[in-house]
Amino acid sequence: MGDKILIGLEIHAELLTNTKIFCGCKNEFGADVNTNCCPVCLGLPGSLPVLNERVLDFAITAGLSFNCKIARNTKMDRKNYFYPDLTKAYQISQYDIPLCYDGYIEVEAEDGSAKKIGIERIHIEEDTGKSLHDATGDTLLDYNRGGVPLIEIVSRPDMNSPKEAYQFLEKLKEVLLFTNISDVKMEQGSLRCDVNVNVIKEDGRKSNIVELKNLNSFKAALKAMEYEVIRHNELLAKGENTVRETRRWDDSQNKTISMRSKESVQDYRYFPEPDVVDINLTEEYVNDIKNKLPELPDDKRKRFMKEYSLPEYDAKVLTTSKEISNYFEEMISKFSDAKMISNWIMTELLRRVNDEGITLDDVKFDKDAFVYLLKVISEGKINNNAGKKVFREMFETGKKPENIIKEKGLIQIQDEGAIKEIVVGILNDNLQSVEDYKNGKDRALGFLVGQVMKASKGKANPQMVNKLIIDIMKNM
């Protein structure tokens, strides 16, 4: 048994409800400051919170999707602490009876086997407001975010490497997107991640748990975890230990920096929230949500492999988002070559979409045009390289593929006599390459094929070119 790394995650995900958790204020990002807040958001005297039922629906959807049990009788609690962006000086959250508990997400362990990472709890709570710091050093407060509904997902410390934790985050994000309960936009704060890390040495020595707070991207989380594991090991090797504290990741310095000592649960002085009625759920209510769950990424992945005979890698890429998997399935309803569609989506389409920073909805051509292009390639009317040229122009201009093919004269030459004439000319002009090939230099064949394709302006059928070159050289 070697050293052991223990990593646990706490993820806050904002829910995509129309209104906030306890009032009718809009739940939207980017509104003018302090335009989406009311006395309930600010906790003014006389205002009373009323729980938004959609928050319960969404949180239970998350719980069921992560294989959790759902508490039938639960409650909200007050978590007491003062932040300047929380005017009430308390947050309405859940303490000892979370809405969802005992779930898991399956990831691939370091040895390649399937591993279940436990989810201890998922509870609902309200978000705080936001502090804005201006150039003069003053702090301004925007309460639009105050009262936005959150779920907090707390994992068990079951992850034994930063890589496993990264996978857990990726899978969690996929499910939240597929169920459409959060947009998981980390750049807008819709998904926030805290990490707890410590290391246990083979001889039993262990480092103190360190919390990494407010990581704003999965890459930052991965780098911060890797940095902390090294730091813990180095301190233990020197006979020292880590301080039980909260640290932040500094991307510019590539290291974690101490923020404060870590609070304990006692610091929050929880007690039952007296202004919100207890939550009592019926079996019918929970089952109704269960019956409406969409097909989740892992299930879709397995179905893609079975139904379309796709390799695991392809199935994984095509199910990284609901948008991509829907796109694939709409394409396959029009053209049956699943592997060809998969290859073109993964390489040409997603590469350009990612490079341009757009979504599939922003692509200028429709799926019928894309299918037309794949069909003419599969029928041998144009070759693969010409197809890529057509795709590039379609992507940039939105032009129809049939028009681009016609304008550029890309229809493939299938006439064997015409190709043979070009091949003979190229071989006679490159006798040294013919000799090289006969002497075992296979690379010479690639050169000759390239010369024929160049002479035919890329329009010759490559398979025919290969065959003719080899046949003719045998008699030279």
Side-chain angles (χ1 to χ4, degrees):
M1 178 183 164
D3 297 347
K4 192 171 185 180
I5 300 166
L6 297 179
I7 298 175
L9 298 171
E10 296 173 15
I11 299 108
H12 285 90
E14 288 185 349
L15 300 177
L16 270 177
T17 53
N18 293 326
T19 55
K20 293 186 180 181
I21 185 169
F22 295 122
C23 65
C25 289
K26 280 186 186 174
N27 172 18
E28 64 175 353
F29 178 82
D32 288 342
V33 294
N34 292 319
T35 54
N36 287 339
C37 58
C38 70
V40 175
C41 304
L42 303 176
L44 297 183
S47 63
L48 284 174
V50 177
L51 183 61
N52 180 347
E53 191 174 318
R54 291 292 284 164
V55 174
L56 276 180
D57 293 348
F58 282 12
I60 293 170
T61 297
L64 293 171
S65 301
F66 294 131
N67 310 293
C68 289
K69 296 169 185 166
I70 308 298
R72 298 300 189 266
N73 302 295
T74 179
K75 61 184 172 64
M76 304 302 296
D77 299 280
R78 282 193 187 183
K79 183 182 182 185
N80 292 275
Y81 60 82
F82 178 76
Y83 284 141
D85 49 11
L86 189 66
T87 52
K88 291 185 292 191
Y90 64 85
Q91 180 188 34
I92 303 179
S93 179
Q94 290 192 289
Y95 173 43
D96 53 342
I97 313 176
L99 181 63
C100 317
Y101 59 100
D102 278 352
Y104 67 86
I105 290 177
E106 197 168 281
V107 302
E108 188 177 301
E110 293 286 328
D111 62 4
S113 61
K115 178 177 178 180
K116 288 179 179 174
I117 305 296
I119 290 179
E120 186 176 307
R121 59 186 285 155
I122 300 176
H123 63 257
I124 52 177
E125 62 186 22
E126 61 182 336
D127 209 343
T128 61
K130 193 173 180 183
S131 299
L132 307 168
H133 309 288
D134 69 12
T136 67
D138 289 334
T139 297
L140 309 171
L141 297 169
D142 178 8
Y143 292 106
N144 281 348
R145 201 179 67 178
V148 165
L150 293 174
I151 50 173
E152 181 172 350
I153 302 164
V154 182
S155 84
R156 294 202 169 90
D158 292 344
M159 288 153 276
N160 300 124
S161 71
K163 187 182 163 191
E164 281 184 9
Y166 188 84
Q167 277 190 69
F168 179 93
L169 287 169
E170 288 280 353
K171 286 209 157 186
L172 180 136
K173 181 180 172 183
E174 283 175 7
V175 170
L176 294 178
L177 277 174
F178 267 75
T179 49
N180 205 31
I181 60 176
S182 175
D183 61 18
V184 297
K185 292 179 178 172
M186 295 190 84
E187 70 280 11
Q188 294 182 5
S190 301
L191 192 74
R192 282 114 68 183
C193 170
D194 302 336
V195 182
N196 289 301
V197 185
N198 71 314
V199 172
I200 302 175
K201 302 298 285 182
E202 193 171 7
D203 60 10
R205 288 175 299 138
K206 64 168 72 171
S207 60
N208 289 313
I209 294 174
V210 168
E211 180 186 42
L212 304 171
K213 198 79 175 167
N214 296 332
L215 296 156
N216 59 9
S217 74
F218 288 177
K219 282 185 182 171
L222 180 64
K223 287 197 282 186
M225 286 185 278
E226 289 171 341
Y227 178 88
E228 274 302 298
V229 169
I230 293 170
R231 192 175 73 86
H232 285 227
N233 276 321
E234 286 178 349
L235 285 171
L236 290 174
K238 290 190 288 186
E240 299 174 14
N241 202 337
T242 50
V243 177
R244 191 175 184 278
E245 62 181 350
T246 297
R247 299 173 72 88
R248 68 178 175 85
W249 173 249
D250 188 317
D251 229 358
S252 60
Q253 298 187 61
N254 243 1
K255 66 179 188 179
T256 62
I257 294 171
S258 179
M259 290 172 69
R260 58 176 184 264
S261 61
K262 189 163 167 39
E263 291 105 341
S264 66
V265 70
Q266 287 78 18
D267 294 326
Y268 296 125
R269 293 167 293 119
Y270 282 98
F271 66 85
E273 167 58 51
D275 289 340
V276 179
V277 296
D278 289 350
I279 301 166
N280 300 303
L281 304 173
T282 64
E283 289 298 316
E284 185 184 9
Y285 180 80
V286 175
N287 285 335
D288 186 48
I289 295 172
K290 192 172 188 176
N291 292 334
K292 290 176 183 169
L293 286 181
E295 185 181 29
L296 296 174
D298 277 350
D299 296 330
K300 197 178 280 281
R301 212 162 280 145
K302 288 172 189 164
R303 181 170 66 78
F304 277 15
M305 290 168 68
K306 185 178 178 185
E307 193 171 328
Y308 304 123
S309 301
L310 290 175
E312 186 177 3
Y313 176 80
D314 293 40
K316 278 184 178 175
V317 174
L318 295 173
T319 54
T320 48
S321 80
K322 189 157 64 174
E323 187 188 21
I324 297 171
S325 60
N326 287 347
Y327 193 98
F328 169 76
E329 292 220 90
E330 284 175 43
M331 288 282 289
I332 207 163
S333 68
K334 302 167 188 285
F335 180 56
S336 61
D337 191 334
K339 184 58 183 152
M340 186 177 186
I341 296 172
S342 169
N343 287 344
W344 278 78
I345 288 179
M346 291 194 302
T347 54
E348 301 304 313
L349 182 64
L350 292 182
R351 182 177 59 78
R352 290 303 302 266
V353 164
N354 292 334
D355 286 350
E356 301 292 327
I358 61 175
T359 69
L360 290 176
D361 287 338
D362 300 323
V363 172
K364 291 176 180 170
F365 57 81
D366 60 25
K367 296 179 190 72
D368 286 333
F370 199 1
V371 165
Y372 178 89
L373 175 63
L374 300 191
K375 278 183 179 174
V376 293
I377 296 170
S378 70
E379 290 165 0
K381 291 179 180 171
I382 64 172
N383 63 39
N384 211 50
N385 285 337
K388 289 180 182 177
K389 285 181 191 169
V390 176
F391 180 87
R392 280 198 291 275
E393 189 155 343
M394 285 166 64
F395 192 90
E396 284 157 15
T397 66
K399 270 187 182 177
K400 288 186 177 299
E402 53 267 44
N403 294 340
I404 300 168
I405 292 167
K406 190 176 175 184
E407 285 169 14
K408 294 188 177 298
L410 295 173
I411 291 293
Q412 192 164 258
I413 302 171
Q414 301 283 5
D415 182 339
E416 187 172 328
I419 296 176
K420 189 173 181 180
E421 193 176 322
I422 299 171
V423 168
V424 169
I426 292 296
L427 294 183
N428 285 332
D429 290 344
N430 295 276
L431 292 173
Q432 183 58 52
S433 296
V434 174
E435 196 60 30
D436 289 345
Y437 178 73
K438 287 184 173 180
N439 289 328
K441 293 182 178 175
D442 292 341
R443 290 176 62 185
L445 177 62
F447 169 76
L448 292 168
V449 171
Q451 292 303 301
V452 175
M453 295 305 293
K454 187 177 174 185
S456 70
K457 297 180 180 171
K459 294 193 285 185
N461 182 314
Q463 291 78 27
M464 208 176 279
V465 169
N466 259 286
K467 182 176 180 302
L468 283 169
I469 289 177
I470 292 170
D471 288 348
I472 294 170
M473 282 197 297
K474 284 178 185 169
N475 300 315
M476 289 180 74

